[in-house]
Amino acid sequence: MKQPKLRTGLWVYILLLSTSLSISAQEINEPSLRFTLTEIMNDAESYQEYKVIKTSKLQQFKLAMIDSINAYQRQIKNLALASVETQAELKILKNELELIKSSLESSEAQNAQIGFLGLTFNKRFYNALVWSLIALLSTIVVVIYTRIKHVCNVVKRVKSAYSKIVDEYRNQRFQATEKQMLLKRELQTALNRLESLEAVEK
């Protein structure tokens, strides 16, 4: 597709360049018709109010004028052909531009969509959904962390309270054991006194 376009554009460029070069060459090599007519008028002899011009010079001027007209007509045809080619090339380029625009729009539409779990979402909606889920999960993690931290603190307080209760229970048990032993001793002492008193009375 690109090579025919390049060839057509190159052909149009060469045609325009050759036309401009031929015009400039004619202007350089051939004297202008106005200059030629001025020379003929200057060289002509005057007779009363008339100018006597040689027929050969008029024929030369006529041939030069016809050649110039033919050259200009050829240039006009060449320029018309170049204009047609340029317009055709312009139409082709416009069509290609429309195709590129449509493909770009479809590509942008495809890029704006994203597939996830077999569903198609808009990228903005998908990004908003993902960030919302991230924020929700972050909030849940923070709540769970604070709850776990609170539970750990409660467990620590319960453990410390339990250890205190256990220590107090052990102390009370030890004291109760000592009291029991003391009471047993006192009871044994009382029983011994009672037995000794009974023995004396007998």
Side-chain angles (χ1 to χ4, degrees):
M1 189 69 182
K2 289 184 179 179
Q3 288 182 352
K5 285 195 306 178
L6 290 174
R7 289 176 183 173
T8 306
L10 186 60
W11 186 82
V12 171
Y13 177 74
I14 290 172
L15 183 62
L16 291 174
L17 184 62
S18 62
T19 305
S20 63
L21 288 175
S22 65
I23 292 171
S24 62
Q26 285 179 359
E27 289 177 353
I28 293 170
N29 295 328
E30 297 179 1
S32 65
L33 293 175
R34 185 178 296 174
F35 179 73
T36 306
L37 182 60
T38 305
E39 281 188 345
I40 290 173
M41 294 295 291
N42 290 333
D43 292 340
E45 298 176 359
S46 298
Y47 176 75
Q48 295 180 357
E49 296 178 356
Y50 305 100
K51 283 279 189 181
V52 179
I53 301 172
K54 291 181 180 179
T55 308
S56 60
K57 289 188 177 181
L58 283 176
Q59 288 291 334
Q60 289 176 358
F61 179 75
K62 179 182 177 182
L63 291 175
M65 184 176 65
I66 290 172
D67 289 339
S68 298
I69 290 171
N70 291 332
Y72 286 128
Q73 286 178 348
R74 284 194 300 271
Q75 292 168 10
I76 289 170
K77 287 181 182 179
N78 291 333
L79 289 174
L81 288 174
S83 176
V84 170
E85 291 289 336
T86 305
Q87 288 178 358
E89 183 71 18
L90 184 61
K91 286 182 181 179
I92 293 171
L93 291 175
K94 283 182 179 179
N95 292 331
E96 289 183 356
L97 181 62
E98 292 296 328
L99 290 174
I100 290 170
K101 282 183 179 179
S102 62
S103 64
L104 179 62
E105 288 176 357
S106 63
S107 176
E108 287 178 349
Q110 288 178 357
N111 288 333
Q113 302 291 330
I114 190 167
F116 181 69
L117 296 177
L119 300 174
T120 304
F121 298 101
N122 190 301
K123 274 191 177 179
R124 292 181 180 176
F125 175 75
Y126 178 77
N127 289 334
L129 179 64
V130 168
W131 284 109
S132 300
L133 289 175
I134 290 172
L136 179 63
L137 291 175
S138 301
T139 305
I140 291 172
V141 167
V142 169
V143 170
I144 291 173
Y145 175 75
T146 53
R147 295 288 294 175
I148 290 173
K149 191 173 182 181
H150 176 69
V151 169
C152 289
N153 291 331
V154 170
V155 169
K156 285 180 182 179
R157 289 198 297 270
V158 169
K159 280 185 177 180
S160 63
Y162 176 74
S163 63
K164 287 180 181 179
I165 290 171
V166 168
D167 291 338
E168 289 178 359
Y169 173 74
R170 287 177 181 174
N171 290 330
Q172 288 179 358
R173 188 175 177 185
F174 180 73
Q175 290 176 1
T177 303
E178 286 185 348
K179 284 182 180 179
Q180 285 179 357
M181 291 176 64
L182 184 61
L183 288 174
K184 282 182 180 180
R185 287 176 186 171
E186 290 179 354
L187 181 60
Q188 188 65 39
T189 304
L191 287 174
N192 290 335
R193 286 181 183 175
L194 184 60
E195 287 179 356
S196 64
L197 287 172
E198 286 179 353
V200 170
E201 287 179 356
K202 289 179 180 180

